[in-house]
Amino acid sequence: MLKTKPVNQFSAVVDDIKAGPFSDLQNRLDALQDNGMTALTIRSILFHKMLDLHSVPAEHFLREQATPQRLDDPALIEKLNALGFYRKQRCVMH
C-alpha cells in the first residue's frame, strides 16, 4: 500500500518573517541544480563573484587557482587585502 502513496516535497519551515528572500533564493538554487548545474560549479561561480567584488582583474593569477574549499574563510579575505584588493563600497543614496 505504501508504493501507491504519492511522494510529496516539503518546503522548509522558517520562523523568520524576513525569510521570503531566502526562500526565493533557495528556489532559484534548486532550479539551477535541477537543470544540471552542480554545487561545485555554483561554488566556483561564487568565488569568481567574490573576486569581482574585490576588483581582481580578469588576468590575475588568483582566477587561475582552484576554488578554495571554504569561501567564508577569513584568511581568503586577508589574502585579497594583502594583495591590495578590497571590496568595493556601495554608494549610499539619501
Coordinates of all heavy atoms in Angstrom, one line a residue:
M1 N 0.8 -1.2 0.0 CA 0.0 0.0 0.0 C 0.9 1.3 0.0 O 0.5 2.3 -0.5 CB -0.9 0.0 1.2 CG -2.0 1.1 1.1 SD -3.2 1.0 2.3 CE -4.3 -0.2 1.7
L2 N 2.0 1.2 0.6 CA 2.9 2.4 0.6 C 3.5 2.7 -0.8 O 3.8 3.9 -1.0 CB 4.1 2.1 1.6 CG 3.7 2.1 3.0 CD1 4.9 1.7 3.9 CD2 3.1 3.4 3.5
K3 N 3.5 1.8 -1.7 CA 4.0 2.1 -3.0 C 3.1 3.0 -3.8 O 3.6 3.7 -4.7 CB 4.3 0.8 -3.8 CG 5.4 0.0 -3.2 CD 5.6 -1.3 -4.0 CE 6.7 -2.1 -3.4 NZ 7.0 -3.3 -4.2
T4 N 1.9 3.0 -3.5 CA 0.9 3.8 -4.2 C 0.8 5.2 -3.6 O 0.2 6.1 -4.2 CB -0.5 3.2 -4.3 OG1 -0.9 3.0 -3.0 CG2 -0.4 1.9 -5.0
K5 N 1.4 5.4 -2.5 CA 1.3 6.7 -1.8 C 2.2 7.7 -2.5 O 3.4 7.4 -2.7 CB 1.7 6.6 -0.3 CG 1.5 7.8 0.5 CD 1.9 7.6 1.9 CE 1.7 8.8 2.7 NZ 2.1 8.7 4.1
P6 N 1.6 8.9 -2.9 CA 2.5 9.8 -3.6 C 3.5 10.4 -2.7 O 3.3 10.6 -1.5 CB 1.5 10.9 -4.1 CG 0.3 10.8 -3.1 CD 0.3 9.3 -2.7
V7 N 4.7 10.8 -3.3 CA 5.8 11.4 -2.6 C 5.6 12.9 -2.7 O 5.6 13.5 -3.8 CB 7.1 11.0 -3.2 CG1 8.2 11.7 -2.5 CG2 7.3 9.4 -3.1
N8 N 5.4 13.5 -1.6 CA 5.3 15.0 -1.5 C 6.6 15.6 -1.2 O 7.4 15.1 -0.4 CB 4.3 15.4 -0.4 CG 2.9 14.9 -0.8 OD1 2.5 14.8 -1.9 ND2 2.1 14.6 0.3
Q9 N 6.8 16.8 -1.8 CA 8.0 17.6 -1.4 C 7.6 18.6 -0.4 O 6.6 19.3 -0.6 CB 8.6 18.2 -2.6 CG 9.2 17.2 -3.6 CD 10.3 17.9 -4.4 OE1 10.5 19.1 -4.4 NE2 10.9 17.1 -5.3
F10 N 8.4 18.7 0.7 CA 8.0 19.7 1.7 C 9.0 20.8 1.7 O 10.2 20.6 1.6 CB 8.1 19.0 3.1 CG 7.1 17.8 3.2 CD1 7.5 16.5 3.1 CD2 5.8 18.1 3.5 CE1 6.6 15.5 3.2 CE2 4.9 17.1 3.6 CZ 5.3 15.7 3.4
S11 N 8.5 22.0 1.8 CA 9.4 23.2 1.8 C 9.8 23.4 3.3 O 9.1 23.0 4.2 CB 8.7 24.4 1.3 OG 7.5 24.7 2.1
A12 N 10.9 24.0 3.4 CA 11.5 24.3 4.8 C 10.5 25.2 5.5 O 10.0 26.1 5.0 CB 12.8 24.8 4.7
V13 N 10.4 25.0 6.8 CA 9.6 25.9 7.7 C 10.5 26.9 8.3 O 11.5 26.5 8.9 CB 8.9 25.1 8.8 CG1 8.1 26.0 9.7 CG2 7.9 24.0 8.1
V14 N 10.2 28.1 8.1 CA 11.1 29.2 8.6 C 10.3 30.1 9.5 O 9.2 30.5 9.1 CB 11.7 30.0 7.4 CG1 12.6 31.1 7.9 CG2 12.4 29.1 6.5
D15 N 10.8 30.4 10.7 CA 10.1 31.2 11.6 C 10.3 32.7 11.4 O 9.5 33.5 11.8 CB 10.5 30.9 13.0 CG 10.1 29.5 13.5 OD1 9.1 29.0 12.9 OD2 10.8 28.9 14.3
D16 N 11.3 33.1 10.7 CA 11.6 34.5 10.5 C 10.7 35.1 9.4 O 10.6 34.6 8.3 CB 13.1 34.6 10.0 CG 13.6 36.0 10.0 OD1 12.8 36.9 10.3 OD2 14.8 36.2 9.7
I17 N 10.1 36.2 9.7 CA 9.2 36.8 8.8 C 10.0 37.5 7.6 O 9.4 37.8 6.6 CB 8.3 37.9 9.5 CG1 9.2 39.0 10.1 CG2 7.4 37.3 10.5 CD1 8.4 40.2 10.6
K18 N 11.3 37.6 7.7 CA 12.1 38.2 6.7 C 12.7 37.1 5.8 O 13.6 37.3 5.0 CB 13.2 39.0 7.2 CG 12.7 40.3 8.0 CD 13.9 41.1 8.5 CE 13.4 42.2 9.3 NZ 14.5 43.0 9.9
A19 N 12.2 35.9 5.9 CA 12.8 34.7 5.2 C 12.3 34.6 3.8 O 12.8 33.8 3.1 CB 12.4 33.4 6.0
G20 N 11.4 35.4 3.3 CA 10.9 35.4 2.0 C 12.1 35.4 0.9 O 12.1 34.6 0.0
P21 N 13.0 36.4 1.0 CA 14.1 36.4 0.0 C 15.0 35.1 0.1 O 15.4 34.7 -1.0 CB 14.9 37.6 0.5 CG 14.0 38.5 1.2 CD 13.0 37.5 1.9
F22 N 15.1 34.6 1.3 CA 15.9 33.3 1.4 C 15.2 32.2 0.7 O 15.8 31.3 0.1 CB 16.3 33.0 2.8 CG 17.2 34.0 3.5 CD1 16.7 34.8 4.5 CD2 18.4 34.3 3.0 CE1 17.5 35.8 5.1 CE2 19.3 35.2 3.6 CZ 18.8 36.0 4.6
S23 N 13.9 32.1 0.9 CA 13.1 31.1 0.3 C 13.2 31.2 -1.3 O 13.3 30.2 -2.0 CB 11.7 31.2 0.7 OG 10.9 30.2 0.1
D24 N 13.1 32.5 -1.8 CA 13.2 32.7 -3.2 C 14.6 32.3 -3.7 O 14.7 31.7 -4.8 CB 13.0 34.2 -3.5 CG 11.6 34.6 -3.3 OD1 10.7 33.7 -3.2 OD2 11.3 35.8 -3.2
L25 N 15.6 32.6 -3.0 CA 17.0 32.2 -3.4 C 17.1 30.7 -3.4 O 17.7 30.2 -4.3 CB 18.0 32.9 -2.4 CG 19.5 32.5 -2.7 CD1 19.9 33.0 -4.0 CD2 20.3 33.2 -1.6
Q26 N 16.6 30.0 -2.4 CA 16.6 28.6 -2.3 C 15.9 28.0 -3.5 O 16.4 27.0 -4.2 CB 16.0 28.0 -1.0 CG 16.1 26.5 -0.9 CD 17.6 26.1 -0.9 OE1 18.4 26.6 -0.1 NE2 18.0 25.1 -1.7
N27 N 14.8 28.5 -3.9 CA 14.1 28.1 -5.1 C 14.9 28.2 -6.4 O 14.9 27.4 -7.2 CB 12.7 28.8 -5.2 CG 11.8 28.3 -4.2 OD1 11.9 27.3 -3.6 ND2 10.8 29.2 -3.8
R28 N 15.6 29.4 -6.5 CA 16.4 29.6 -7.7 C 17.6 28.6 -7.7 O 18.0 28.1 -8.7 CB 16.9 31.0 -7.7 CG 15.8 32.0 -7.9 CD 16.4 33.4 -7.9 NE 15.3 34.4 -8.1 CZ 15.5 35.7 -8.1 NH1 16.7 36.2 -7.9 NH2 14.5 36.5 -8.2
L29 N 18.2 28.4 -6.5 CA 19.3 27.4 -6.5 C 18.8 26.0 -6.8 O 19.5 25.3 -7.5 CB 20.0 27.5 -5.1 CG 20.8 28.7 -4.8 CD1 21.2 28.7 -3.3 CD2 22.0 28.8 -5.6
D30 N 17.7 25.7 -6.3 CA 17.1 24.4 -6.7 C 16.9 24.2 -8.2 O 17.2 23.2 -8.8 CB 15.8 24.1 -5.9 CG 16.0 23.9 -4.4 OD1 17.1 23.6 -4.0 OD2 15.0 24.1 -3.7
A31 N 16.4 25.3 -8.8 CA 16.1 25.3 -10.2 C 17.5 25.1 -11.0 O 17.5 24.4 -12.0 CB 15.4 26.5 -10.7
L32 N 18.5 25.8 -10.5 CA 19.8 25.7 -11.2 C 20.3 24.2 -11.1 O 20.8 23.7 -12.1 CB 20.8 26.6 -10.5 CG 20.7 28.1 -10.9 CD1 21.7 28.9 -10.0 CD2 21.0 28.3 -12.3
Q33 N 20.2 23.6 -9.9 CA 20.7 22.3 -9.8 C 19.8 21.3 -10.5 O 20.3 20.3 -11.1 CB 20.7 21.9 -8.3 CG 21.9 22.6 -7.6 CD 22.1 22.2 -6.2 OE1 21.1 22.1 -5.4 NE2 23.3 21.9 -5.8
D34 N 18.5 21.6 -10.6 CA 17.6 20.7 -11.4 C 17.9 20.7 -12.9 O 17.7 19.8 -13.6 CB 16.1 21.1 -11.2 CG 15.6 20.8 -9.8 OD1 16.3 20.0 -9.1 OD2 14.6 21.3 -9.4
N35 N 18.5 21.8 -13.3 CA 18.9 22.0 -14.7 C 20.3 21.5 -15.0 O 20.8 21.7 -16.1 CB 18.7 23.4 -15.2 CG 17.3 23.8 -15.3 OD1 16.5 23.0 -15.7 ND2 17.0 25.0 -14.9
G36 N 20.9 20.9 -14.0 CA 22.2 20.2 -14.2 C 23.4 20.9 -13.7 O 24.5 20.4 -13.8
M37 N 23.3 22.1 -13.1 CA 24.5 22.7 -12.5 C 24.8 22.1 -11.2 O 23.9 21.9 -10.3 CB 24.2 24.2 -12.3 CG 25.4 25.0 -11.9 SD 25.2 26.8 -11.8 CE 25.2 27.2 -13.5
T38 N 26.1 21.8 -11.0 CA 26.5 21.1 -9.8 C 26.8 22.1 -8.7 O 27.0 23.3 -9.0 CB 27.7 20.2 -10.0 OG1 28.8 21.1 -10.3 CG2 27.5 19.2 -11.1
A39 N 26.8 21.6 -7.4 CA 27.2 22.5 -6.3 C 28.6 23.0 -6.5 O 28.9 24.2 -6.1 CB 27.0 21.8 -5.0
L40 N 29.5 22.2 -7.0 CA 30.9 22.7 -7.2 C 31.0 23.8 -8.2 O 31.8 24.8 -8.1 CB 31.8 21.5 -7.7 CG 32.0 20.4 -6.7 CD1 32.7 19.2 -7.3 CD2 32.7 20.9 -5.4
T41 N 30.2 23.8 -9.3 CA 30.1 24.8 -10.2 C 29.6 26.1 -9.6 O 30.1 27.2 -9.8 CB 29.3 24.4 -11.5 OG1 29.8 23.2 -12.0 CG2 29.3 25.5 -12.5
I42 N 28.5 26.0 -8.8 CA 28.0 27.2 -8.1 C 29.0 27.8 -7.2 O 29.2 29.0 -7.1 CB 26.7 26.8 -7.4 CG1 25.6 26.4 -8.4 CG2 26.2 27.9 -6.5 CD1 24.4 25.8 -7.7
R43 N 29.8 26.9 -6.5 CA 30.8 27.4 -5.6 C 31.9 28.2 -6.4 O 32.4 29.2 -6.0 CB 31.4 26.3 -4.8 CG 32.4 26.8 -3.7 CD 32.8 25.7 -2.7 NE 33.2 24.4 -3.3 CZ 34.4 24.1 -3.5 NH1 35.4 24.9 -3.2 NH2 34.7 22.9 -4.1
S44 N 32.3 27.7 -7.5 CA 33.3 28.3 -8.4 C 32.8 29.7 -8.9 O 33.5 30.7 -8.8 CB 33.6 27.4 -9.6 OG 34.5 28.0 -10.4
I45 N 31.5 29.7 -9.2 CA 30.9 31.0 -9.7 C 30.9 32.0 -8.6 O 31.2 33.2 -8.7 CB 29.5 30.8 -10.3 CG1 29.6 30.0 -11.6 CG2 28.7 32.1 -10.4 CD1 28.3 29.5 -12.1
L46 N 30.5 31.6 -7.4 CA 30.5 32.5 -6.2 C 31.9 33.0 -5.9 O 32.1 34.1 -5.5 CB 29.9 31.8 -5.0 CG 28.4 31.5 -5.1 CD1 27.9 30.7 -3.9 CD2 27.6 32.8 -5.1
F47 N 32.9 32.1 -6.0 CA 34.3 32.5 -5.8 C 34.7 33.6 -6.8 O 35.3 34.6 -6.4 CB 35.3 31.3 -5.9 CG 36.7 31.7 -5.8 CD1 37.2 32.2 -4.6 CD2 37.6 31.5 -6.9 CE1 38.6 32.6 -4.6 CE2 38.9 31.8 -6.8 CZ 39.4 32.4 -5.6
H48 N 34.4 33.4 -8.0 CA 34.8 34.4 -9.0 C 34.0 35.7 -8.8 O 34.5 36.8 -9.1 CB 34.6 33.9 -10.4 CG 35.7 33.0 -10.8 ND1 36.9 33.4 -11.2 CD2 35.8 31.6 -10.7 CE1 37.7 32.4 -11.4 NE2 37.1 31.3 -11.1
K49 N 32.7 35.6 -8.3 CA 32.0 36.8 -8.0 C 32.6 37.6 -6.8 O 32.7 38.8 -6.8 CB 30.5 36.4 -7.7 CG 29.6 37.6 -7.4 CD 29.5 38.5 -8.7 CE 28.6 39.7 -8.4 NZ 28.6 40.6 -9.6
M50 N 33.1 36.8 -5.9 CA 33.9 37.4 -4.7 C 35.1 38.2 -5.3 O 35.4 39.3 -4.8 CB 34.3 36.4 -3.7 CG 35.0 37.0 -2.5 SD 35.9 35.8 -1.4 CE 34.6 34.7 -1.1
L51 N 35.8 37.6 -6.2 CA 36.9 38.3 -6.8 C 36.5 39.5 -7.6 O 37.2 40.6 -7.5 CB 37.7 37.3 -7.7 CG 38.4 36.1 -7.1 CD1 39.1 35.2 -8.1 CD2 39.3 36.5 -5.9
D52 N 35.4 39.5 -8.2 CA 34.8 40.6 -8.9 C 34.5 41.8 -7.9 O 34.8 42.9 -8.2 CB 33.5 40.3 -9.6 CG 33.7 39.4 -10.8 OD1 34.9 39.3 -11.3 OD2 32.7 38.8 -11.3
L53 N 33.9 41.4 -6.8 CA 33.6 42.4 -5.7 C 34.8 43.1 -5.1 O 34.8 44.2 -4.6 CB 32.7 41.8 -4.6 CG 31.3 41.4 -5.0 CD1 30.6 40.6 -3.9 CD2 30.5 42.6 -5.4
H54 N 36.0 42.3 -5.2 CA 37.2 42.9 -4.7 C 38.1 43.5 -5.8 O 39.3 43.8 -5.6 CB 38.0 41.8 -4.0 CG 37.4 41.5 -2.6 ND1 36.4 40.6 -2.4 CD2 37.8 41.9 -1.4 CE1 36.1 40.6 -1.1 NE2 36.9 41.3 -0.5
S55 N 37.5 43.7 -7.0 CA 38.2 44.3 -8.1 C 39.4 43.6 -8.6 O 40.4 44.2 -9.0 CB 38.5 45.8 -7.8 OG 37.3 46.5 -7.4
V56 N 39.4 42.2 -8.5 CA 40.6 41.5 -9.0 C 40.5 41.4 -10.5 O 39.4 41.0 -11.1 CB 40.6 40.0 -8.4 CG1 41.7 39.2 -8.9 CG2 40.7 40.1 -6.9
P57 N 41.5 41.8 -11.2 CA 41.5 41.8 -12.7 C 41.3 40.4 -13.3 O 41.6 39.4 -12.6 CB 42.8 42.3 -13.1 CG 43.4 43.0 -11.9 CD 42.8 42.3 -10.7
A58 N 40.7 40.3 -14.5 CA 40.4 39.0 -15.1 C 41.6 38.2 -15.4 O 41.6 37.0 -15.3 CB 39.6 39.3 -16.4
E59 N 42.8 38.8 -15.6 CA 44.0 38.1 -15.9 C 44.9 37.8 -14.7 O 46.0 37.3 -14.8 CB 44.8 38.8 -17.0 CG 45.4 40.2 -16.5 CD 44.3 41.3 -16.6 OE1 43.2 41.2 -17.1 OE2 44.7 42.4 -16.1
H60 N 44.4 38.1 -13.5 CA 45.2 37.9 -12.3 C 45.3 36.4 -12.0 O 44.4 35.6 -12.3 CB 44.5 38.6 -11.1 CG 45.4 38.8 -9.9 ND1 45.5 37.8 -8.9 CD2 46.2 39.8 -9.6 CE1 46.4 38.3 -8.0 NE2 46.8 39.5 -8.4
F61 N 46.4 36.0 -11.3 CA 46.7 34.6 -11.0 C 45.7 34.0 -10.1 O 45.5 32.8 -10.1 CB 48.1 34.4 -10.5 CG 48.3 34.9 -9.1 CD1 48.1 34.0 -8.0 CD2 48.7 36.2 -8.7 CE1 48.3 34.4 -6.7 CE2 48.8 36.6 -7.4 CZ 48.7 35.7 -6.4
L62 N 45.0 34.8 -9.3 CA 44.0 34.2 -8.3 C 42.9 33.5 -9.1 O 42.3 32.6 -8.6 CB 43.5 35.3 -7.4 CG 44.4 35.8 -6.3 CD1 43.7 36.9 -5.6 CD2 44.7 34.7 -5.3
R63 N 42.6 34.0 -10.3 CA 41.5 33.5 -11.0 C 41.8 32.1 -11.7 O 41.0 31.4 -12.1 CB 41.0 34.5 -12.1 CG 40.4 35.7 -11.5 CD 39.6 36.5 -12.5 NE 39.1 37.7 -11.9 CZ 37.9 37.9 -11.5 NH1 37.0 36.9 -11.5 NH2 37.5 39.0 -11.0
E64 N 43.1 31.9 -11.8 CA 43.6 30.6 -12.3 C 43.7 29.5 -11.3 O 43.8 28.3 -11.6 CB 45.0 30.8 -13.0 CG 44.9 31.8 -14.1 CD 44.0 31.4 -15.3 OE1 44.0 30.2 -15.6 OE2 43.4 32.4 -15.8
Q65 N 43.7 29.9 -10.0 CA 43.8 28.9 -9.0 C 42.5 28.1 -8.8 O 41.5 28.6 -9.2 CB 44.2 29.6 -7.6 CG 45.6 30.2 -7.6 CD 45.9 30.8 -6.3 OE1 45.0 31.0 -5.4 NE2 47.2 31.1 -6.1
A66 N 42.6 27.0 -8.1 CA 41.4 26.2 -7.8 C 40.6 26.9 -6.8 O 41.1 27.7 -6.0 CB 41.9 24.8 -7.3
T67 N 39.3 26.7 -6.9 CA 38.4 27.3 -5.9 C 38.6 26.8 -4.5 O 38.7 25.6 -4.3 CB 36.9 27.0 -6.3 OG1 36.7 27.5 -7.7 CG2 35.9 27.7 -5.4
P68 N 38.8 27.7 -3.5 CA 39.0 27.2 -2.2 C 37.8 26.4 -1.6 O 36.7 26.6 -2.1 CB 39.1 28.6 -1.4 CG 39.4 29.6 -2.4 CD 38.8 29.2 -3.7
Q69 N 38.2 25.5 -0.7 CA 37.1 24.7 -0.1 C 36.1 25.5 0.7 O 34.9 25.2 0.6 CB 37.7 23.7 0.8 CG 38.5 22.6 0.1 CD 37.6 21.7 -0.7 OE1 36.5 21.4 -0.3 NE2 38.1 21.3 -1.9
R70 N 36.6 26.5 1.4 CA 35.7 27.4 2.2 C 35.7 28.8 1.7 O 36.7 29.5 1.8 CB 36.1 27.3 3.7 CG 35.8 26.0 4.3 CD 36.0 26.1 5.8 NE 35.3 27.2 6.4 CZ 35.7 27.9 7.5 NH1 36.8 27.6 8.1 NH2 35.0 28.9 7.9
L71 N 34.6 29.3 1.2 CA 34.6 30.7 0.7 C 34.4 31.7 1.8 O 34.6 32.8 1.7 CB 33.4 30.8 -0.3 CG 33.6 30.0 -1.6 CD1 32.3 30.3 -2.5 CD2 34.8 30.4 -2.3
D72 N 34.0 31.2 3.0 CA 33.8 32.0 4.2 C 35.0 32.1 5.1 O 35.0 32.7 6.2 CB 32.6 31.6 5.0 CG 32.7 30.2 5.6 OD1 33.6 29.4 5.0 OD2 32.0 29.9 6.5
D73 N 36.1 31.6 4.6 CA 37.4 31.6 5.4 C 37.9 33.0 5.5 O 38.2 33.6 4.4 CB 38.4 30.6 4.7 CG 39.7 30.4 5.6 OD1 39.7 31.0 6.7 OD2 40.5 29.7 5.1
P74 N 38.1 33.5 6.7 CA 38.6 34.9 6.8 C 40.0 35.0 6.2 O 40.4 36.1 5.7 CB 38.7 35.1 8.3 CG 37.8 34.1 8.9 CD 37.7 33.0 8.0
A75 N 40.8 34.0 6.1 CA 42.1 34.0 5.5 C 42.1 34.4 4.1 O 43.0 35.0 3.5 CB 42.9 32.7 5.7
L76 N 41.0 34.0 3.4 CA 40.8 34.4 2.0 C 40.7 35.9 1.8 O 41.4 36.5 0.9 CB 39.6 33.7 1.4 CG 39.3 33.8 0.0 CD1 40.5 33.3 -0.9 CD2 38.1 33.0 -0.4
I77 N 39.9 36.5 2.6 CA 39.8 38.0 2.6 C 41.1 38.7 3.0 O 41.5 39.6 2.3 CB 38.6 38.5 3.5 CG1 37.3 37.8 3.1 CG2 38.5 40.0 3.5 CD1 36.8 38.1 1.7
E78 N 41.8 38.1 4.0 CA 43.1 38.7 4.4 C 44.1 38.6 3.2 O 44.8 39.5 3.0 CB 43.6 37.9 5.6 CG 42.8 38.2 6.9 CD 43.2 37.4 8.0 OE1 44.2 36.6 7.9 OE2 42.5 37.4 9.1
K79 N 44.0 37.5 2.5 CA 45.0 37.3 1.4 C 44.6 38.3 0.3 O 45.6 39.0 -0.3 CB 44.8 35.9 0.8 CG 45.7 35.6 -0.4 CD 45.6 34.2 -0.9 CE 46.5 33.9 -2.0 NZ 46.4 32.5 -2.5
L80 N 43.3 38.5 0.0 CA 43.0 39.5 -1.0 C 43.4 40.9 -0.6 O 43.9 41.7 -1.4 CB 41.4 39.5 -1.2 CG 40.9 38.3 -2.0 CD1 39.4 38.3 -1.9 CD2 41.3 38.4 -3.5
N81 N 43.2 41.3 0.7 CA 43.6 42.6 1.2 C 45.1 42.7 1.2 O 45.6 43.8 0.9 CB 43.0 42.8 2.6 CG 41.5 42.9 2.6 OD1 40.9 43.2 1.6 ND2 41.0 42.7 3.8
A82 N 45.8 41.7 1.5 CA 47.3 41.8 1.5 C 47.8 42.0 0.1 O 48.9 42.6 -0.1 CB 47.9 40.5 2.1
L83 N 47.1 41.5 -0.9 CA 47.5 41.7 -2.3 C 47.0 43.0 -2.9 O 47.2 43.4 -4.0 CB 46.9 40.6 -3.2 CG 47.6 39.2 -3.0 CD1 46.8 38.1 -3.7 CD2 49.0 39.2 -3.4
G84 N 46.3 43.8 -2.0 CA 45.8 45.1 -2.4 C 44.4 45.2 -3.0 O 44.0 46.2 -3.6
F85 N 43.7 44.1 -2.8 CA 42.3 44.1 -3.3 C 41.3 44.2 -2.2 O 41.4 43.5 -1.2 CB 42.0 42.8 -4.1 CG 42.9 42.6 -5.2 CD1 43.9 41.6 -5.2 CD2 42.8 43.4 -6.3 CE1 44.7 41.4 -6.3 CE2 43.7 43.3 -7.4 CZ 44.6 42.3 -7.4
Y86 N 40.5 45.2 -2.3 CA 39.5 45.5 -1.2 C 38.1 45.5 -1.9 O 37.9 45.8 -3.0 CB 39.7 46.8 -0.6 CG 41.0 46.8 0.2 CD1 42.2 47.3 -0.5 CD2 41.1 46.4 1.5 CE1 43.4 47.2 0.2 CE2 42.3 46.4 2.1 CZ 43.5 46.8 1.5 OH 44.7 46.8 2.1
R87 N 37.1 45.2 -1.1 CA 35.7 45.1 -1.6 C 35.3 46.5 -1.9 O 35.5 47.5 -1.2 CB 34.8 44.5 -0.5 CG 33.4 44.3 -1.0 CD 32.6 43.4 -0.1 NE 31.3 43.3 -0.7 CZ 30.4 42.5 -0.3 NH1 30.7 41.6 0.7 NH2 29.2 42.5 -0.8
K88 N 34.6 46.6 -3.1 CA 34.0 47.9 -3.5 C 33.0 48.3 -2.5 O 32.2 47.5 -2.0 CB 33.4 47.8 -4.9 CG 34.3 47.4 -6.0 CD 33.5 47.3 -7.3 CE 34.4 46.8 -8.4 NZ 33.6 46.6 -9.6
Q89 N 33.0 49.6 -2.2 CA 32.0 50.2 -1.3 C 30.8 50.6 -2.1 O 30.9 51.1 -3.2 CB 32.5 51.4 -0.6 CG 33.7 51.1 0.3 CD 33.3 50.2 1.4 OE1 32.2 50.3 2.0 NE2 34.2 49.2 1.8
R90 N 29.6 50.3 -1.6 CA 28.4 50.6 -2.3 C 28.1 52.1 -2.1 O 28.3 52.6 -1.0 CB 27.2 49.9 -1.8 CG 27.2 48.4 -2.1 CD 26.0 47.8 -1.7 NE 26.0 46.3 -2.0 CZ 25.0 45.5 -1.8 NH1 23.9 46.0 -1.3 NH2 25.1 44.3 -2.1
C91 N 27.6 52.8 -3.1 CA 27.3 54.2 -2.9 C 25.9 54.2 -2.2 O 24.9 53.6 -2.7 CB 27.2 54.9 -4.3 SG 28.8 55.0 -5.1
V92 N 25.8 55.0 -1.2 CA 24.6 55.1 -0.4 C 23.9 56.4 -0.9 O 24.5 57.5 -0.8 CB 24.8 55.1 1.1 CG1 23.5 55.3 1.8 CG2 25.5 53.9 1.5
M93 N 22.7 56.3 -1.4 CA 21.9 57.5 -1.8 C 20.9 57.8 -0.7 O 20.2 56.9 -0.2 CB 21.2 57.2 -3.1 CG 22.2 56.9 -4.2 SD 21.3 56.6 -5.8 CE 20.8 58.3 -6.2
H94 N 20.9 59.0 -0.4 CA 19.9 59.5 0.7 C 18.7 60.2 0.1 O 18.7 60.7 -0.9 CB 20.6 60.5 1.6 CG 21.7 59.8 2.4 ND1 21.6 59.2 3.5 CD2 23.1 59.7 2.1 CE1 22.7 58.7 4.0 NE2 23.7 59.0 3.1

